[in-house]
Amino acid sequence: MTRPEFDLLIVGGGLMGAGLARAVRDADPAARIAIVDTGPTIGGTRGQHLHEVDDDELWRRYNRSLEAGTQAHYVGVVAAPDPGSTVVGAAPGVYHLGSFGEDAAQLPGAAVAWNSGGMGAHWTAATPTPYGAEVFAFDGAAEWDADLARAQELLQVHPDPYGQDPAAAPVIDRLREMFAQTSDPGRGVQAMPMAVQPTGDACRRGPLRRTGPNVIFPPIADGADPAFALLADSLCLGLVMDGAIARGARIRHLPTGGEREVTAARVAVCADAMRTPQLLFASGIRPSALGSHLNEHVFVSGRVLVDPEKVPLELAALRPPLRGEWHVASHWLPHSDARQPFQGQIMSALVLDEDLRTPLGYFVQLSWYIPTETRDENRVEFSDTEADAAGLPRMRVRFSYSDTDRRTIAEGREAQRSAGEALGEFVPGRDSEVLVPGSSLHYTGTVRMGVDPVTSVCDPDGLVRGTRNVYVAGNGVIPTPMTANTTLAGMVTVVRAARGILRSGAGS
Ligand SMILES: Cc1cc2nc3c(=O)[nH]c(=O)nc-3n(C[C@H](O)[C@H](O)[C@H](O)COP(=O)(O)OP(=O)(O)OC[C@H]3O[C@@H](n4cnc5c(N)ncnc54)[C@H](O)[C@@H]3O)c2cc1C
C-alpha cells in the first residue's frame, strides 16, 4: 500500500489546530503534519492575531470593535444568504451562524470565524483556570494539573500581563471584600491570567502581544518546518472513510475551486465546536451523542463608572493605558461552584480628556458569566438534504434554558448588581444586559469526551467512537459545564488528543 502523504492531517488552523500541531511536533520532530484551514487571511500573516497586524486601518477597526469588551458586539451581522448561495468570497471575519445559512434561531448570538486562524485571530485571550465542576480529570488530579500546565504553556498564558496599578487598588479591594465570604480559598477577585505576553515594548503595536495560532505554532506563518504543510484557503468537505479508518480528507481549494484528496495516517478535526460535529456528520461518522449536550454559559454584560464618593479613587494618579491597549487592567472573580457560581470578568478602562492623557473617569466592565445545566436536548443537528453557505450539512440548533438556569440567571444578575452598586451608580435596566444565547462564543459538549459510549462522541484520548484513527480536540470536546471562558479547557483536550495520537505512533 502507498504511504500516506502525512502522518497527521489536522482540519482547522485556529488555536486548537495550532496547539495540536505544536504538541505533536514537540514530541516528534519528524512527524509529517498538515493543517487544512479555510477562509481568507486577514492582514499579511497567516494565523496572526489582529492586534499584531501591520495594516494601520485594519488595526484601528479591530480596536474599535473590541473596545466594548464584549465578544458579541464584535460579530459581523450579515443577512442570512439565499438558500444555495455560498460563503466563498465573503470578507474575513466572525459571522453569526444565520449568516452561514444555518437555522440558529434558538441560539441567535452563535458565531463562527471565516478566516485563516479562526477566532484565534480575534480573541481577547482571557484564560481563567477551570475549577470544581469544570474539571474533567479522567486520570486523576495529578494528570489534570500536568495537562493544564501544558495547555497554559501552549497558549503562553501570563498570570498578570497588565500588571497592577496601586492607584486603582481600591476598586479591586472593594470587590474582593464583597465576595471574600463566598469564595473558596484562592478564588477571590484577582488578576486575570491571559494568553498575552509582555514583550518589553519590542512589538510594533505595544508591549503586550496576544497569542494567535502563529505564536503557538510559528510554521503556520513562516513555513520554516520542512515536515509541515499548511493547506490554506481550503475547505475540508469530509473525511475519506474506509470502514472505521480515515484514509484522509477531501478538500477544495477555494480560490481555484480545485478539489483533491489528501491522504493521512490519522486525521484530527479541530474545526470549532459547531463545524467539528458538522464535518464528522458529513463524513458519515455519527456516534449517537454527536451534536448533543451543547452547553453555553449565559453572558450578562455590565459596566459602571466608579464613583469616587463610594470608592476612594484619585483619578489624577491613575496609570494611563499601555501603548496599543484600550483596557488598563484585567481581573476576574472566579466562581467557587455552588458557594459562588458566577464568574465576573472585570476589565477596566479610563475615560480620558481630549489630550488622551488626563483621566476624567474610571469605567469597570462587569461581564457576568452564569453557568447553565448540561442537557442532552440542547444540541446541534445536521441535515442530510440541505446545505449551508459553505456547502456542508445545514445546522439546526435546539437550545433553551431550564427552570434552574432561569433561577441561576436571576441570582447572577443580583450578584452583578451588588458589585456594580458597590462601585458607583449602577442601574440594571441601563447598565446591564442579558445577551442573547450564543453571545459568549464559548460553546462546549457537541463532540464531548467521555467513558460512556452513549453520552460521548470521543474517548478520553479524543479518539472518535467507531473510528480507529479520527481524533477531535477543542471546546466542543469539553464534557463539563463551563462558567469560565473555554479556550484553556479546550486546549486541555488538545493535550489529551496529542497524547492519544502520539501513543498511536504519529510519526510511524
Ligand atoms: C472577539 C472574541 C473574543 C474572544 N475572547 C475570548 C477570551 O477572552 N477567552 C476565551 O477563552 N475565548 C475567547 N474567545 C473564543 C476563542 O477565540 C475560541 O475559544 C477559540 O478560538 C477556539 O479555538 P478553535 O481552534 O476551536 O476555533 P477557531 O480558533 O475559530 O478555529 C477554527 C478553525 O477551523 C477552520 N475550519 C472550520 N471548518 C473547516 C473546514 N470544513 N475546513 C477547513 N477549515 C475549517 C476555521 O477556518 C478556523 O480557522 C473569543 C472569540 C472572539 C471572536
Side-chain angles (χ1 to χ4, degrees), residues 451-464:
V451 288
D452 175 1
V454 176
T455 59
S456 64
V457 171
C458 65
D459 74 10
D461 282 341
L463 180 66
V464 174

Side-chain angles (χ1 to χ4, degrees), residues 6 15 52 69 128 159 162 186 195 208 216 236 240 248 255 279 316 318 327 335 346 384 444 452 458 478:
F6 299 102
L15 296 172
E52 318 307 335
Y162 283 87
L208 297 185
I216 298 174
C236 180
V240 179
L279 210 52
L318 289 170
H327 288 108
H335 79 84
I346 302 159
D384 263 321
T444 59
D452 175 1
C458 65
I478 299 170

Side-chain angles (χ1 to χ4, degrees), residues 78-423:
V78 178
D82 297 330
S85 70
T86 159
V87 76
V88 177
V94 181
Y95 291 108
H96 285 130
L97 286 181
S99 308
F100 263 72
E102 322 290 3
D103 176 354
Q106 294 182 4
L107 199 74
V112 291
W114 181 248
N115 59 269
S116 128
M119 288 192 187
H122 307 263
W123 72 315
T124 310
T127 45
T129 316
Y131 175 80
E134 295 173 324
V135 170
F136 44 99
F138 290 102
D139 309 299
E143 183 136 354
W144 167 264
D145 288 345
D147 289 353
L148 183 64
R150 177 62 172 142
Q152 288 166 325
E153 186 180 60
L154 288 168
L155 285 165
Q156 301 196 23
V157 172
H158 189 283
D160 182 14
Y162 283 87
Q164 300 297 311
D165 176 5
V171 174
I172 295 307
D173 289 347
R174 175 60 54 85
L175 292 174
R176 196 172 287 140
E177 281 158 24
M178 279 193 64
F179 292 97
Q181 296 307 314
T182 50
S183 295
D184 286 351
R187 302 284 293 176
V189 174
Q190 57 194 279
M192 173 67 94
M194 299 190 75
V196 169
Q197 303 86 45
T199 62
D201 225 20
C203 286
R204 174 162 180 241
R205 293 302 179 190
L208 297 185
R209 182 190 67 170
R210 272 77 170 151
T211 297
N214 72 325
V215 170
I216 298 174
F217 190 57
I220 287 178
D222 64 25
D225 180 338
F228 171 72
L230 178 67
L231 310 173
D233 302 313
S234 298
L235 180 70
C236 180
L237 303 170
L239 311 193
V240 179
M241 298 301 294
D242 179 358
I245 298 177
R247 300 287 176 207
R250 180 142 204 92
I251 67 168
R252 181 186 298 146
H253 184 243
L254 296 177
T256 59
E259 287 186 20
R260 74 174 178 108
E261 242 172 69
V262 182
T263 57
R266 290 156 204 82
V267 181
V269 187
C270 303
D272 77 43
M274 296 298 176
R275 289 177 290 180
T276 295
Q278 182 188 46
L279 210 52
L280 295 185
F281 184 92
S283 313
I285 304 169
R286 301 175 182 182
S288 58
L290 190 71
S292 68
H293 298 89
L294 167 63
N295 188 271
E296 190 216 16
H297 64 73
V298 180
F299 192 127
V300 186
S301 71
R303 205 152 113 124
V304 61
L305 181 65
V306 175
D307 178 354
E309 300 276 310
K310 289 192 175 182
V311 182
L313 199 61
E314 202 191 323
L315 285 175
L318 289 170
R319 188 184 65 179
L322 294 167
R323 187 166 66 82
E325 297 300 319
W326 47 100
H327 288 108
V328 288
S330 178
H331 292 87
W332 67 309
L333 164 67
H335 79 84
S336 292
D337 277 341
R339 289 184 75 203
Q340 198 297 102
F342 318 110
Q343 175 176 304
Q345 188 162 331
I346 302 159
M347 298 189 78
S348 311
L350 295 180
V351 184
L352 294 168
D353 194 4
E354 278 173 4
D355 63 7
L356 296 182
R357 299 193 64 78
T358 314
L360 300 177
Y362 193 74
F363 262 115
V364 178
Q365 216 174 292
L366 296 168
S367 300
W368 236 242
Y369 292 0
I370 300 174
T372 61
E373 293 187 301
T374 296
R375 291 183 299 138
D376 176 27
E377 62 260 41
N378 283 341
R379 53 174 56 217
V380 51
E381 298 169 341
F382 304 96
S383 172
D384 263 321
T385 54
E386 294 174 296
D388 67 10
L392 287 163
R394 185 170 188 242
M395 299 177 199
R396 176 174 182 191
V397 186
R398 297 180 185 274
F399 191 83
S400 63
Y401 293 135
S402 67
D403 289 343
T404 303
D405 294 341
R406 277 186 278 275
R407 271 195 302 277
T408 321
I409 294 170
E411 288 162 16
R413 293 204 80 184
E414 266 310 291
Q416 184 201 44
R417 187 180 60 75
S418 313
E421 287 177 350
L423 300 182

